[in-house]
Amino acid sequence: MNILVTGATGFVGRRLCARLQKSQGYNLTSAVRRPGSNAPGSEVVIHEMDGQTNWQYALMDQHVVIHTAARAHIMNDEVADPLAEYRRVNVDGTINLARQAAGAGVRRLIYISSIKVNGEQTPAGCPFRAEDAAAPADPYGVSKLESEIQLQRLAKDTGMEVVIIRPSLVYGPGAKGNFATMVRLVAKGLPLPLGSIRNRRSLLALDNLVDLIVTCISHPNAANQTFLAADGEDLSTTELLRGVANAMGIPSRLLPVPAGLLQFGAGLLGKKALAQRLLGSLQVDIEHTRKCLNWTPPLTVEQGLRHCFEIRQD
């Protein structure tokens, strides 16, 4: 089976390509932005992804396209119109690729979306479910939802199967963003006032996401479905920090400061968004994913965290 992976040198794409290259039965083509990127498989250079990109050569004889490339969520975005920029890449670029893929006879397109399509937080004990109405709260989430809607329309019009995956926070070797910041703070050994947080948050190990994507390549039940993705274990911020420290083999230094006091202090400092990420809940119900695909995340959270640092030491 011939497979094209976009974003092949990204956090998800590189791990996915390595898995596909080791698996039998897949002929891999990696779409990259720069030549000589050392991506697995055959390399095709796509310098820029927008509504005008020509994918004709990359799509030749492909059976499945796995679309991981995107303009990622950016904190403190400095562009004049963030939504327009997200739409240019994540909506226009995605739909342009999908139309050309359908025209080239691609059977299935797997789109890596985001849990941000569902929203930013959940009440504790009330996780997002696959059938919930979308409620994105930022330009990135809006762009992902708009691309999903147009992909579903394209699937109906062309017959090309579309699979949508909405991952929760993905962690793994080389992760950036909030997870990388958390790791750095724990590694410094500084006391953190996060020892009494009782929120619940869903996470997704990189290898669990890759396993789900590979499952969706050929599973007949995956066609034209939307899957929420997580490890299936929800942690508080306190539990996550302790898990990271344990995986690194160092003590966790967490002070039991009440969450209400932290929330108040964050408000005074203008850090409400940071407080929401640390203190709020975001849970994901993956029951539909489990039942539809007969899929179970291969790694527990403990294994996923330990795997991060085992790989870094290799």
Side-chain angles (χ1 to χ4, degrees), residues 3-308:
I3 298 177
L4 170 68
V5 175
T6 72
T9 59
F11 175 55
V12 175
R14 187 175 291 278
R15 192 72 162 184
L16 172 63
C17 288
R19 165 79 179 266
L20 292 174
Q21 192 177 41
K22 292 178 182 178
S23 303
Q24 293 184 349
Y26 298 128
N27 298 313
L28 174 64
T29 300
S30 297
V32 299
R33 295 185 62 182
R34 298 175 183 85
S37 299
N38 296 320
S42 302
E43 183 178 284
V44 59
V45 179
I46 302 294
H47 295 285
E48 191 71 24
M49 188 179 76
D50 56 25
Q52 305 303 316
T53 305
N54 185 349
W55 292 91
Q56 182 177 0
Y57 176 73
L59 291 167
M60 192 178 303
D61 298 323
Q62 301 296 340
H63 302 118
V64 174
V65 172
I66 305 175
H67 188 37
T68 76
R71 186 175 195 263
H73 180 242
I74 300 172
M75 300 296 295
N76 303 316
D77 205 337
E78 296 182 354
V79 298
D81 189 344
L83 180 55
E85 190 62 17
Y86 281 122
R87 281 173 168 159
R88 183 182 70 82
V89 178
N90 296 349
V91 183
D92 298 345
T94 295
I95 303 310
N96 174 51
L97 166 63
R99 288 198 183 104
Q100 292 185 50
V106 169
R107 302 172 190 168
R108 178 173 290 187
L109 185 146
I110 301 173
Y111 179 58
I112 309 305
S113 185
S114 170
I115 199 61
K116 283 180 170 287
V117 169
N118 289 79
E120 293 291 332
Q121 58 184 328
T122 60
C126 298
F128 288 132
R129 292 181 169 84
E131 65 270 19
D132 289 345
D138 67 4
Y140 173 74
V142 169
S143 73
K144 286 293 191 177
L145 173 59
E146 291 178 351
S147 60
E148 286 188 17
I149 292 171
Q150 292 195 43
L151 284 172
Q152 289 164 342
R153 289 173 182 164
L154 186 68
K156 291 180 180 179
D157 292 342
T158 66
M160 181 179 68
E161 298 172 350
V162 169
V163 183
I164 295 169
I165 298 175
R166 296 180 189 165
S168 52
L169 174 66
V170 182
Y171 65 95
K176 298 179 181 179
N178 294 333
F179 185 78
T181 300
M182 186 177 297
V183 169
R184 286 195 297 269
L185 291 173
V186 172
K188 288 180 179 179
L190 300 175
L192 301 174
L194 298 169
S196 295
I197 311 304
R198 295 181 175 85
N199 61 345
R200 309 306 295 168
R201 297 192 74 89
S202 298
L203 308 171
L204 179 61
L206 177 59
D207 284 336
N208 284 345
L209 174 57
V210 167
D211 190 77
L212 177 59
I213 295 170
V214 173
T215 299
C216 288
I217 289 174
S218 57
H219 200 298
N221 293 345
N224 302 316
Q225 292 284 335
T226 297
F227 298 115
L228 305 193
D231 290 337
E233 305 173 59
D234 297 338
L235 304 179
S236 67
T237 298
T238 300
E239 291 168 336
L240 175 57
L241 288 166
R242 286 175 179 158
V244 168
N246 184 62
M248 296 175 73
I250 61 176
S252 58
R253 304 183 188 279
L254 304 177
L255 305 179
V257 178
L261 184 58
L262 292 172
Q263 190 81 49
F264 177 75
L268 293 178
L269 297 172
K271 299 291 185 180
K272 289 185 178 181
L274 175 60
Q276 190 278 319
R277 292 193 296 274
L278 291 173
L279 309 178
S281 294
L282 196 164
Q283 294 176 268
V284 175
D285 185 338
I286 62 170
E287 192 61 21
H288 170 67
T289 308
R290 290 181 186 272
K291 287 184 176 180
C292 188
L293 301 174
N294 192 27
W295 178 79
T296 299
L299 298 182
T300 64
V301 173
E302 180 180 358
Q303 291 169 330
L305 291 174
R306 188 168 64 244
H307 201 39
C308 292

